Amino acid sequence: MKNIVLIGFMGSGKTSVGIRLSYRLRRTMTDTDRKIERLYRMTVSEIFERMGEEAFRDMETQCLEKLLRESRGQIIAVGGGLPMRDHNRELLRRLGTVIYLRVRPESVCSRLAADTTRPLLQGEDRVKKVQKLMEERAPIYESAANITIDVDGKIVDEIVDEILEKTEGKR
Ligand code: S3P
């Protein structure tokens, strides 16, 4: 059984879609952010604050390497910045079928308007931050994915239906 790996921008719904997909397929679900938080006993924000972003990125790579050794047939949601490292994209490809949940910047801004848990989006000018990051990242997400799904205006079950349809024979 292959893993199904969900990538995409913060607020694209990787976690909620992952949980729903795991129920529908009766598979376990793993989230790299939560795995890292458990391992280091700190929140992602605390890791960024105390150790810096690069340290967090190294933790993400280690987490992927571990998943590659251990996981079969799981649903895996990864942090929004994880596919930015070339090496991580190589690991993602080996890990399973990679699905990109593509979301519009406007949806991210409204979904995360009150969010305090994403260190990269704190402070002034959240809309500009989202737009800039999205511009940089969108082509990289595309290149890392086997399947792209537009999520705007869809409920979680519709997105899951689409994933099930498009991964038929690949899972
Ligand atoms: C990040 C996304 C977050 C988390 C961290 C950095 C990013 O995960 O890993 O705050 O660089 O896009 P989600 O995509 O689950 O919000």
Side-chain angles (χ1 to χ4, degrees):
M1 252 202 309
K2 277 180 123 182
N3 295 304
I4 295 179
V5 189
L6 302 175
I7 66 168
F9 205 81
M10 294 169 265
S12 58
K14 297 174 300 250
T15 305
S16 23
V17 168
I19 291 172
R20 194 80 200 115
L21 188 59
S22 79
Y23 284 137
R24 301 263 304 262
L25 287 174
R26 296 176 205 284
R27 296 192 188 184
T28 41
M29 147 96 181
T30 303
D31 182 310
T32 57
D33 287 339
R34 300 295 87 76
K35 239 177 136 60
I36 290 170
E37 289 183 330
R38 265 201 312 275
L39 187 64
Y40 290 88
R41 295 181 189 185
M42 282 189 265
T43 63
V44 170
S45 300
E46 285 166 346
I47 297 172
F48 267 66
E49 204 176 283
R50 296 182 197 166
M51 304 167 81
E53 180 172 350
E54 273 311 293
F56 176 72
R57 299 302 173 196
D58 290 339
M59 292 172 191
E60 287 189 312
T61 301
Q62 280 160 17
C63 184
L64 268 187
E65 281 165 349
K66 193 154 185 278
L67 283 170
L68 203 53
R69 289 193 298 272
E70 293 173 356
S71 58
R72 297 273 175 288
Q74 286 197 23
I75 312 300
I76 301 169
V78 307
L82 182 145
M84 296 309 115
R85 280 194 179 176
D86 293 352
H87 178 56
N88 289 355
R89 288 199 295 285
E90 167 64 30
L91 296 176
L92 284 173
R93 269 189 288 275
R94 284 161 46 196
L95 195 58
T97 303
V98 181
I99 302 186
Y100 168 32
L101 301 185
R102 182 165 56 194
V103 65
R104 289 167 51 224
E106 296 78 7
S107 310
V108 172
C109 290
S110 65
R111 288 180 192 186
L112 298 184
D115 178 80
T116 55
T117 66
R118 276 43 173 224
L120 295 181
L121 302 183
Q122 300 312 301
E124 306 278 287
D125 275 336
R126 188 175 285 223
V127 176
K128 267 202 195 124
K129 282 181 184 149
V130 169
Q131 274 164 348
K132 183 169 178 287
L133 269 180
M134 186 84 93
E135 240 167 65
E136 288 165 15
R137 290 177 172 189
I140 299 175
Y141 290 137
E142 307 263 352
S143 77
N146 301 112
I147 295 166
T148 296
I149 296 189
D150 285 307
V151 300
D152 298 281
K154 293 177 188 160
I155 60 166
V156 172
D157 268 314
E158 285 176 308
I159 299 165
V160 171
D161 285 340
E162 219 173 306
I163 293 176
L164 293 176
E165 210 175 285
K166 291 186 174 165
T167 55
E168 190 77 62
K170 291 183 197 157
R171 54 179 147 86

